Amino acid sequence: MTQQTGTLQVTTPSDQEIVMTRAFDAPRDLVFEAWTNPEHVRHWWGLRSSTMTVCEGDVRPGGSWRYVTTGSEGEEVPFTGVYREVAPPERLVYTEMYDVEPFNSGDPAVNTVTFTEEDGRTLVTVITVYPTKEIRDFVLGTGMEQGAAESYDRLAERLKTLA
């Protein structure tokens, strides 16, 4: 499966993976900073219709992160994880878990994010490996592609204010 959502490309190269790629008009140092610094993340992560209520990140191997948004109808959407690898400004590897029962009782997904710069633009590639095909397919069924596309559009807007 390959789907183009505006400027975001989403593919499923295996039964347990989702790969997202998006180019940003900013150098990778700045994209990496906006991706990892809670001061910036709170401005772009999640849907426009939601409010970021918790945005915490200890960006180092073994450090944790937690983002909680509140939707337009008051529902909380919490995510958490642990950084496994941090190589600024090139690469991040971290776990990701939707922090609500029963989703937080199994193995987390693992995200590998690479930042590749060419001519002042940065290509971000996010490879997410899920514990099972069923979990991957569930995530795809939630509309995550549209949500990710909206978040990445918001990131592009944030990067323009930081340039």
Side-chain angles (χ1 to χ4, degrees):
M1 176 206 115
T2 299
Q3 180 171 342
Q4 187 78 25
T5 309
T7 55
L8 176 67
Q9 183 177 17
V10 179
T11 61
T12 52
S14 77
D15 284 350
Q16 291 177 250
E17 289 177 289
I18 298 174
V19 177
M20 298 184 292
T21 56
R22 163 80 192 251
F24 295 94
D25 290 321
R28 76 177 176 171
D29 287 347
L30 186 59
V31 178
F32 189 91
E33 171 71 12
W35 195 278
T36 57
N37 184 331
E39 176 184 329
H40 302 304
V41 173
R42 72 177 54 259
H43 293 281
W44 66 265
W45 201 87
L47 299 173
R48 291 183 196 280
S49 61
S50 66
T51 302
M52 176 76 71
T53 55
V54 176
C55 187
E56 302 167 342
D58 180 10
V59 186
R60 61 178 175 80
S64 64
W65 63 275
R66 180 166 170 79
Y67 304 154
V68 180
T69 59
T70 301
S72 58
E73 296 181 17
E75 70 283 4
E76 279 197 345
V77 183
F79 285 88
T80 188
V82 175
Y83 289 97
R84 293 183 172 177
E85 182 182 331
V86 178
E90 300 169 7
R91 179 178 159 94
L92 291 168
V93 179
Y94 54 91
T95 62
E96 179 179 308
M97 172 101 31
Y98 179 51
D99 201 14
V100 172
E101 291 290 342
F103 305 104
N104 60 359
S105 61
D107 292 331
V110 177
N111 292 323
T112 300
V113 186
T114 56
F115 303 82
T116 308
E117 184 176 345
E118 187 174 321
D119 298 326
R121 288 177 52 89
T122 302
L123 179 67
V124 176
T125 302
V126 181
I127 301 170
T128 305
V129 179
Y130 293 89
T132 66
K133 178 185 185 312
E134 291 74 25
I135 293 171
R136 194 248 359 226
D137 289 349
F138 174 82
V139 170
L140 287 170
T142 66
M144 64 75 59
E145 295 159 66
Q146 291 297 328
E150 187 171 321
S151 286
Y152 292 177
D153 287 347
R154 295 178 70 195
L155 173 56
E157 293 163 11
R158 180 69 178 170
L159 289 165
K160 286 179 185 175
T161 71
L162 300 173

